[in-house]
Amino acid sequence: MQRLKWTGVSNKRMLPAPIKSVLASCSAASLLLLCHAATADSWQPLPEQLLGVTTDLSPAAPATCRSPEQPEAIQVWLPLGRSQEPIKTLSQWPAHPLAEFVQCFHIRWYQDYDQLDCRSGGQRGHQQCDLALLPREWNQRQLVFIASGTPAIGSASHWQMVLPVHASVDVLAHEVGHWLGFADEYPMSSALAENYCQGRYLHPSVNVVTTVTQQLSSHELQKLWQRLPWRDAVADWRDLAQPGSDGKWQLGSAASVAVGLFPSATCNAVEKVYSWKPVAHMTAMEYHDVNVWPEVYLELLRRSNGQ
């Protein structure tokens, strides 16, 4: 059987390329325009241009999404023969609230899990893959769906996300949320919390702030209000806390406040550090299955994008 050679940055990957198997992989993916006109009996090298198809998954996606060389295009790695599940997940993305902010996907294939050179690490066994990238891809984010060595949970670093092929669109959205600047609102692992909750973090989160006390003076409370990423959604600094008899303010908004300061479980693993979020109810950054993305979260993203 003929094979197609693809050369990466540091090594070469060999991809089997029968059109028949590609058709089987993408039969449910007319949205992604991956199917090639061929008969069921055709066995020939897969044309190089079909190894990656850039697809905008939003009606409002800019024209630049049609080029895989654009930095906003996310490289999506799909396993040949196990692509139907992730393609179904991607086909649901345009209806998701975060699709407004992440619209460009460039599809590419791989044959074997071992080609990805993935390894597990950390307390929760998050996976990281050493992908063969072209120089223009070094500053593009990589989304890898894996079928073998599948992690129990998804994981995302600054440039790479690894998901099992059966991951739902809600799991995808939670991990995309990290790329957009959202921190977990469930208890972080002790190793991650030790860094994040002590301020040793690559970038500030848009949905979680921390304090080292639960009581502040009026002046201190006003300073906290001024540094909140969601300050514009809080009309009065006094909405962030309850007045005490000693002149101090006890942090935590009243239940009647829609957007304020509410406890999150983010920093539960670190003593004497308290974490806070804008809303009282559970969001998708605490439990992905609820798929709740409050309007204040979306507005924070729009503001950061200059909208």
Side-chain angles (χ1 to χ4, degrees):
M1 179 175 65
Q2 291 179 291
R3 300 166 74 86
L4 178 68
K5 182 182 296 184
W6 175 74
T7 304
V9 173
S10 58
N11 57 3
K12 295 179 180 180
R13 306 297 194 196
M14 301 293 290
L15 290 178
I19 293 297
K20 183 177 179 181
S21 67
V22 175
L23 287 171
S25 297
C26 67
S27 60
S30 58
L31 168 69
L32 299 180
L33 303 177
L34 296 176
C35 297
H36 179 66
T39 68
D41 295 327
S42 296
W43 293 81
Q44 54 183 299
L46 182 65
E48 184 175 358
Q49 65 268 27
L50 291 185
L51 286 178
V53 175
T54 304
T55 307
D56 64 65
L57 294 182
S58 168
T64 54
C65 289
R66 302 191 180 279
S67 169
E69 298 185 9
Q70 297 301 319
E72 64 268 28
I74 296 171
Q75 304 284 331
V76 182
W77 298 68
L78 299 181
L80 281 168
R82 287 295 307 273
S83 62
Q84 288 192 8
E85 291 172 289
I87 284 173
K88 180 180 178 181
T89 294
L90 290 172
S91 71
Q92 296 168 347
W93 184 251
H96 196 278
L98 295 189
E100 176 183 347
F101 311 99
V102 176
Q103 303 168 346
C104 309
F105 294 86
H106 176 63
I107 307 299
R108 63 194 309 165
W109 305 96
Y110 68 90
Q111 173 66 20
D112 298 316
Y113 170 73
D114 290 342
Q115 291 177 323
L116 301 179
D117 195 12
C118 299
R119 59 198 178 278
S120 298
Q123 291 176 310
R124 295 180 177 173
H126 290 164
Q127 293 221 7
Q128 187 78 14
C129 302
D130 185 15
L131 304 173
L133 301 178
L134 299 171
R136 65 172 173 78
E137 297 168 339
W138 291 346
N139 293 323
Q140 290 178 313
R141 287 187 161 126
Q142 309 292 320
L143 166 56
V144 184
F145 285 95
I146 61 176
S148 302
T150 298
I153 57 176
S155 61
S157 61
H158 185 64
W159 291 109
Q160 186 180 119
M161 183 191 310
V162 180
L163 297 177
V165 290
H166 55 73
S168 68
V169 70
D170 295 338
V171 171
L172 171 62
H174 177 95
E175 301 303 334
V176 167
H178 288 309
W179 279 351
L180 295 174
F182 292 108
D184 288 324
E185 295 173 356
Y186 60 75
M188 288 183 173
S189 66
S190 58
L192 182 58
E194 189 64 34
N195 285 317
Y196 175 84
C197 301
Q198 300 290 351
R200 297 187 294 271
Y201 201 59
L202 291 176
H203 54 80
S205 64
V206 298
N207 63 317
V208 174
V209 297
T210 61
T211 65
V212 294
T213 181
Q214 292 180 299
Q215 287 188 323
L216 297 177
S217 67
S218 295
H219 177 67
E220 291 169 334
L221 185 59
Q222 290 179 65
K223 289 182 66 176
L224 173 61
W225 173 62
Q226 290 170 352
R227 73 177 177 91
L228 287 181
W230 58 92
R231 172 191 167 178
D232 290 342
V234 182
D236 192 319
W237 59 269
R238 286 173 283 259
D239 287 340
L240 302 178
Q242 311 295 312
S245 58
D246 59 355
K248 294 280 190 177
W249 291 80
Q250 184 72 28
L251 292 182
S253 298
S256 58
V257 174
V259 179
L261 196 72
F262 298 92
S264 82
T266 306
C267 294
N268 283 4
V270 181
E271 292 185 3
K272 297 182 180 180
V273 176
Y274 308 93
S275 52
W276 311 90
K277 60 180 184 174
V279 295
H281 55 271
M282 184 179 291
T283 78
M285 292 312 297
E286 182 175 359
Y287 187 58
H288 60 79
D289 276 354
V290 302
N291 194 31
V292 173
W293 294 91
E295 182 59 30
V296 63
Y297 286 34
L298 303 181
E299 189 56 37
L300 285 168
L301 294 179
R302 294 183 190 112
R303 218 171 260 134
S304 67
N305 290 338
Q307 297 182 24

